[in-house]
Amino acid sequence: MENMNIGHHISRQFNEELEEVRNQVLMMGGLVEQQIADAVKALVEGDSNLAEQVIENDRKVNGLEVAIDEECTQILARRQPAASDLRLVIAVIKTITDLERIGDQAEKIARMGLHLVDMERPKNHFYEVQSLGESVIKMLHQTLDAFARMDVEAAIQVSQQDEKIDHEYDGVMRQMVTFMMEDPRLIKRSLDVIWSVRALERIGDHSKNICEYVIYLVKGKDVRHTSTEYMKEAVQEK
Amino acid sequence: MENMNIGHHISRQFNEELEEVRNQVLMMGGLVEQQIADAVKALVEGDSNLAEQVIENDRKVNGLEVAIDEECTQILARRQPAASDLRLVIAVIKTITDLERIGDQAEKIARMGLHLVDMERPKNHFYEVQSLGESVIKMLHQTLDAFARMDVEAAIQVSQQDEKIDHEYDGVMRQMVTFMMEDPRLIKRSLDVIWSVRALERIGDHSKNICEYVIYLVKGKDVRHTSTEYMKEAVQEK
């Protein structure tokens, strides 16, 4: 009996460790989401203090990645998880890599914001950055929700938003090229806008990666590099 | 005695599995290296057949990532490795993610090559893409060497090349902006060149990531997000 109790206790502790790691991922995700929102706000409003703060906060994002990574390695070594527990740990290791890179993109946008402070503000108040920023933040938020609830259907739905974001990005790019051709004095400013929307577009890609890890985690199938149709099929199989 | 033999046999089999995974990573690395070289060649020489081939071959890169990933998961589940074996498997899981993304960048360069085929060729024959391409391929090759030999000193040396690549990239960017300002008809072509050199610059970042996994693997220390000085200190500690 005592052994069983110990066994039960160890297992509960293990569950708590996995739960703790999941919570840390969500915390890191929340921080990264805030970083994107702040970076976009700093750029749109020309707020260099906020931009500096985003750049400074990227250390926190990096620190969380290293800490969670370390925790995962220790769980693998101590607990030697199998099946779905193992998949959870691997999915976390991959997810935090993407979250860290989303953080890098937020930092890039903040740096573009600092550049743009010294230039003439456009009449549209960087509407394209604001708009794409909102789409991307929404997508990341829903991605983290899908991760928190281990919701495969949601993960598939959300990963499809990436196409919409790519489409919006392509539109902005065409517009910027037109601006530059019409008035070469706008080239430098337009390039900074281009870097910023490209960073946002890449955040969409990273969110999609995370959605795919959620599907892998729940279904044990690798759905990367496959079409949406294949993804749907994969999760419908029993 | 029999048990020991079995033990020995299992261990040798395990070693062979690890060795096999390492070889697969090097094979994937070699393919990715070739993809960059071909993408740059296709762009510089305006060879649309070669560009199409690079785009097609990206499937192979993706396939290798999925296969090696699967192999690593199985090793973790079956062998429950500890200490340096565990670090090797985690380092491999991370490395192939970066190699796959390097592959994506090569594909992007090939796509830019296809765009550029229809435009007037510049007098310098895309010298800047060629030159940065050579630096980046050299860096990736040395990175894979450091990985193959588990050579920490080499990994540190190679990771420092990323700064040189960033510097070269900044120079090309400034030059492109000047071109566009001087002659707005060159904007579209210049943007394609900009996307290409940016893809090369990001390959440098991914190579640096892989160098850091080598250091982590050998030393068991996480050196990401730290300065070169810290990296050197970390590996000098006994």
Side-chain angles (χ1 to χ4, degrees):
Chain A
M1 261 317 265
E2 209 170 73
N3 273 343
M4 269 192 68
N5 273 338
I6 289 172
H8 180 69
H9 179 68
I10 287 174
S11 167
R12 198 176 60 194
Q13 217 178 12
F14 180 24
N15 278 337
E16 280 171 10
E17 281 176 19
L18 290 178
E19 194 54 35
E20 171 65 18
V21 158
R22 265 182 56 186
N23 286 337
Q24 282 181 316
V25 172
L26 293 175
M27 196 178 73
M28 184 177 174
L31 174 57
V32 162
E33 231 180 273
Q34 189 60 48
Q35 286 282 89
I36 309 169
D38 286 346
V40 169
K41 187 164 189 268
L43 185 150
V44 170
E45 298 184 1
D47 183 340
S48 47
N49 286 336
L50 188 56
E52 297 280 9
Q53 191 189 306
V54 170
I55 293 165
E56 180 59 30
N57 275 346
D58 191 48
R59 287 162 175 269
K60 287 190 201 163
V61 177
N62 295 342
L64 275 170
E65 188 206 6
V66 172
I68 298 171
D69 216 18
E70 182 59 33
E71 183 61 28
C72 287
T73 310
Q74 286 189 10
I75 288 177
L76 286 174
R78 269 202 318 260
R79 304 292 183 185
Q80 310 186 326
S84 68
D85 291 339
L86 176 58
R87 289 205 304 272
L88 173 62
V89 178
I90 295 177
V92 166
I93 289 176
K94 287 169 188 275
T95 296
I96 57 176
T97 308
D98 281 280
L99 286 177
E100 189 269 329
R101 288 182 186 158
I102 293 177
D104 287 346
Q105 299 303 321
E107 189 194 340
K108 268 185 209 166
I109 295 166
R111 289 190 190 281
M112 291 305 127
L114 285 183
H115 274 195
L116 288 163
V117 165
D118 301 325
M119 300 182 203
E120 200 190 325
R121 316 294 294 169
K123 286 199 190 83
N124 79 351
H125 305 288
F126 299 110
Y127 172 76
E128 58 287 312
V129 178
Q130 172 105 50
S131 168
L132 193 61
E134 280 165 13
S135 306
V136 162
I137 291 167
K138 189 176 142 219
M139 181 179 177
L140 177 60
H141 190 86
Q142 292 179 356
T143 298
L144 293 168
D145 271 358
F147 180 92
R149 292 181 283 110
M150 298 292 147
D151 184 338
V152 176
E153 289 297 328
I156 296 174
Q157 291 284 334
V158 178
S159 71
Q160 287 168 1
Q161 290 180 26
D162 191 40
E163 262 178 64
K164 204 185 127 257
I165 284 169
D166 288 350
H167 187 75
E168 192 173 338
Y169 164 76
D170 288 341
V172 176
M173 278 300 301
R174 274 193 300 273
Q175 194 185 37
M176 287 296 135
V177 173
T178 309
F179 283 169
M180 290 193 280
M181 285 175 164
E182 282 170 4
D183 185 352
R185 288 169 306 170
L186 296 181
I187 288 176
K188 281 203 174 173
R189 189 176 78 195
S190 302
L191 276 175
D192 283 342
V193 172
I194 285 175
W195 298 142
S196 305
V197 294
R198 195 172 174 87
L200 290 169
E201 183 264 333
R202 285 192 50 215
I203 293 174
D205 292 342
H206 287 298
S207 295
K208 191 180 174 188
N209 290 343
I210 296 173
C211 288
E212 289 171 2
Y213 306 146
V214 171
I215 301 170
Y216 158 81
L217 172 56
V218 178
K219 293 287 166 178
K221 278 177 195 277
D222 205 319
V223 292
R224 284 166 296 173
H225 317 305
T226 56
S227 66
T228 305
E229 284 61 39
Y230 179 85
M231 269 198 221
K232 281 184 185 158
E233 268 176 39
V235 298
Q236 272 159 10
E237 283 173 23
K238 301 295 176 201
Chain B
M1 263 314 269
E2 208 171 76
N3 272 343
M4 268 190 70
N5 274 338
I6 290 171
H8 180 70
H9 179 68
I10 289 174
S11 168
R12 197 175 61 193
Q13 217 180 14
F14 180 25
N15 279 338
E16 280 170 9
E17 281 176 20
L18 290 179
E19 193 55 33
E20 171 65 19
V21 159
R22 265 181 56 184
N23 286 337
Q24 282 181 316
V25 172
L26 293 176
M27 196 178 72
M28 183 178 176
L31 174 58
V32 162
E33 231 180 274
Q34 189 61 48
Q35 286 282 90
I36 310 168
D38 286 346
V40 168
K41 188 164 188 268
L43 186 149
V44 170
E45 300 183 0
D47 182 340
S48 47
N49 285 335
L50 188 57
E52 297 281 9
Q53 190 189 307
V54 171
I55 293 166
E56 180 60 31
N57 275 345
D58 192 49
R59 288 164 174 269
K60 287 190 201 165
V61 177
N62 295 341
L64 276 169
E65 189 205 4
V66 172
I68 299 172
D69 216 16
E70 182 58 33
E71 183 61 29
C72 287
T73 310
Q74 286 190 12
I75 288 177
L76 286 174
R78 270 203 318 260
R79 303 292 183 182
Q80 311 187 325
S84 67
D85 291 339
L86 176 58
R87 290 205 304 272
L88 173 62
V89 177
I90 296 177
V92 166
I93 289 175
K94 288 169 187 274
T95 296
I96 57 176
T97 309
D98 281 279
L99 285 178
E100 189 271 328
R101 288 181 188 160
I102 293 177
D104 287 347
Q105 299 303 320
E107 189 193 341
K108 267 186 209 166
I109 295 167
R111 288 190 189 282
M112 292 305 127
L114 285 182
H115 274 194
L116 288 164
V117 165
D118 302 325
M119 299 184 204
E120 200 190 326
R121 315 295 293 169
K123 286 200 193 82
N124 78 352
H125 304 287
F126 300 111
Y127 173 75
E128 59 287 313
V129 178
Q130 171 106 51
S131 167
L132 193 61
E134 281 166 12
S135 305
V136 162
I137 291 167
K138 190 176 141 219
M139 181 177 175
L140 177 60
H141 190 84
Q142 293 178 355
T143 298
L144 293 168
D145 271 359
F147 180 90
R149 291 182 282 110
M150 298 293 148
D151 184 338
V152 176
E153 289 297 328
I156 295 173
Q157 291 284 334
V158 177
S159 71
Q160 287 168 2
Q161 290 180 26
D162 191 40
E163 261 178 64
K164 202 186 130 258
I165 284 168
D166 287 351
H167 188 74
E168 191 172 339
Y169 164 76
D170 288 342
V172 176
M173 279 299 302
R174 274 193 301 273
Q175 193 186 36
M176 288 295 134
V177 173
T178 309
F179 283 168
M180 290 194 280
M181 285 176 164
E182 282 170 4
D183 186 352
R185 288 168 306 171
L186 295 181
I187 287 176
K188 282 202 173 172
R189 189 177 78 194
S190 301
L191 276 175
D192 283 342
V193 172
I194 285 175
W195 297 141
S196 305
V197 292
R198 196 172 173 87
L200 290 169
E201 182 265 334
R202 285 192 50 215
I203 293 174
D205 292 342
H206 287 298
S207 294
K208 191 181 174 187
N209 290 343
I210 296 173
C211 288
E212 288 171 2
Y213 306 145
V214 172
I215 300 170
Y216 157 82
L217 171 56
V218 178
K219 292 288 165 177
K221 278 178 194 278
D222 205 320
V223 292
R224 285 167 296 175
H225 317 306
T226 56
S227 65
T228 305
E229 284 62 39
Y230 179 85
M231 269 198 221
K232 281 184 186 158
E233 267 175 39
V235 298
Q236 273 160 9
E237 282 172 24
K238 301 295 175 201

